[in-house]
Amino acid sequence: MNERYSRQILFPGIGKEGQDKISRKHVLIIGAGALGSGNAEILTRAGVGKITIVDRDYVEASNLQRQQLYTEEDVAEKLPKAAAAEKRLKAINSDVDIRAIIGDATPEMLEELVPDVDVMMDATDNFETRMAMNDVAQKHNIPWIYGACVGSFGMSFSIIPGKTPCLNCLLRTIPLQGMTCDTGGVISPTVQMVISHQTAEALKMLVEDWDAVRTSFVSFDLWRNQYTSMKMSKAKFAGCLSCGEERTYPYLDRENMTKTTVLCGRDTVQIRPANTGEISLEQLAAQLSSLGYNVKGNPYLLSVEMGEERMVIFQDGRALIHGTKDLTHAKTIYQRIMG
Ligand SMILES: [Zn+2]
């Protein structure tokens, strides 16, 4: 046991006491894509007591270039990322209590998950979920670590409620909304650099070395050889609706959550039905087969195809409509299939 973590214990910033702390902590990772798989792997190897990881997508061939937990076998089986990540993380370190959730990290879900969480990792690919994480973190006093990348450009920032500005404060000075992977692809080293910044911060927080936590906003461009560290102490905004004196947590309002979203970096629309209850995939498979659809599946999802139409339906009724970015068109396809 000690042998396993000996190099980390030898490191003065952690030591035996720090390792004991790490082994009692719970980290929540939102997203199991590129940033999520790297964050999860490093924290699992570091011996964090419990890791919960949430993701709404499944593994595809285009993920393998940078999403380090996944294999060709996961692609062939169309495994949900959360399920594939859980399997791999358990094989890496059986000491860690790994919990995987296949689903959308809605404000509701986040609020349910956070009460016993020590640190939250941002590994999402969308602005809406990040802002919900930001509000949940402020409301429940959970430190979290923002991370994002596109192309060769990445950034990271540590947010400690009551101490640092929050993400909503930062929006006043940094246009974070523009950071989506839609625009220019991404190279794996960018992902790894953001993961390094995020997990180093997480380790500091887990051993409670709060003075060591970085307070600046880091951004870099690995292709243009730039590295910037911006002081953010003045960015805290008293009127901020997420962390200010008269806060309302605007991003936890369910009305603000769109039900239909275009997914990052691909021609795919996600549709989340309003009344979520589990659906019988078996029954649906039989029904759709009889209508002439080509249906394949695993215990977590159904993959449905006919002509140009391709979609994946999860157990919670959520669907990914492929081959389109048009929300109305996607809804029409969804209604035709789901009735
Ligand atoms: Zn704020």
Side-chain angles (χ1 to χ4, degrees), residues 44-212:
T44 296
R45 289 187 189 277
V48 172
K50 183 177 175 186
I51 292 178
T52 303
I53 185 159
V54 182
D55 194 275
R56 62 186 180 185
D57 211 345
Y58 63 94
V59 185
E60 291 183 291
S62 64
N63 302 148
L64 298 180
Q65 165 248 5
R66 67 200 176 285
Q67 303 190 10
Q68 64 192 67
L69 289 177
Y70 309 125
T71 63
E72 291 177 359
E73 205 178 301
D74 299 328
V75 175
E77 290 177 34
K78 274 196 163 63
L79 275 186
K81 287 181 183 175
E86 181 180 33
K87 191 174 71 168
R88 176 85 178 132
L89 294 169
K90 281 181 171 165
I92 289 172
N93 191 347
S94 56
D95 293 343
V96 181
D97 178 5
I98 309 275
R99 186 180 170 211
I101 300 172
I102 304 164
D104 218 359
T106 58
E108 245 174 347
M109 182 198 279
L110 289 170
E111 287 218 69
E112 241 171 71
L113 288 174
V114 292
D116 72 329
V117 163
D118 297 289
V119 173
M120 199 160 45
M121 310 301 289
D122 169 22
T124 67
D125 56 9
N126 70 91
F127 181 72
E128 187 181 57
T129 310
R130 277 196 183 105
M131 296 313 290
M133 287 175 74
N134 185 58
D135 274 359
V136 167
Q138 293 299 327
K139 188 171 170 188
H140 297 269
N141 200 24
I142 317 275
W144 70 290
I145 304 152
Y146 165 79
C149 50
V150 57
S152 56
F153 181 74
M155 34 194 205
S156 178
F157 185 62
S158 303
I159 298 169
I160 305 171
K163 196 172 163 191
T164 68
C166 79
L167 202 62
N168 205 7
C169 294
L170 293 197
L171 288 183
R172 293 165 60 85
T173 44
I174 307 170
L176 300 170
Q177 291 102 317
M179 286 295 289
T180 74
C181 64
D182 239 346
T183 40
V186 63
I187 53 169
S188 190
T190 317
V191 174
Q192 295 297 329
M193 183 104 159
V194 174
I195 291 166
S196 294
H197 280 91
Q198 286 186 289
T199 48
E201 292 305 295
L203 289 175
K204 295 171 191 174
M205 290 178 181
L206 293 172
V207 303
E208 298 161 26
D209 189 356
W210 300 103
D211 292 338

Side-chain angles (χ1 to χ4, degrees), residues 258-314:
T258 43
K259 300 277 188 309
T260 311
T261 352
V262 180
L263 289 200
C264 169
R266 356 191 234 134
D267 281 350
T268 298
V269 173
Q270 171 182 261
I271 296 185
R272 197 177 55 236
N275 327 311
T276 37
E278 291 231 330
I279 59 169
S280 162
L281 290 179
E282 223 171 305
Q283 220 174 332
L284 186 64
Q287 216 176 326
L288 292 173
S289 298
S290 72
L291 290 172
Y293 285 91
N294 181 9
V295 183
K296 280 185 216 146
N298 59 38
Y300 312 100
L301 57 84
L302 281 189
S303 169
V304 181
E305 237 181 287
M306 185 155 72
E308 300 274 276
E309 290 176 14
R310 268 191 324 122
M311 68 187 272
V312 164
I313 305 152
F314 292 85

Side-chain angles (χ1 to χ4, degrees), residues 8 14 18-25 46-49 203 207:
Q8 214 163 257
I14 293 180
Q19 190 61 43
D20 286 345
K21 284 181 181 166
I22 290 172
S23 73
R24 289 193 300 269
K25 297 288 168 77
V48 172
L203 289 175
V207 303

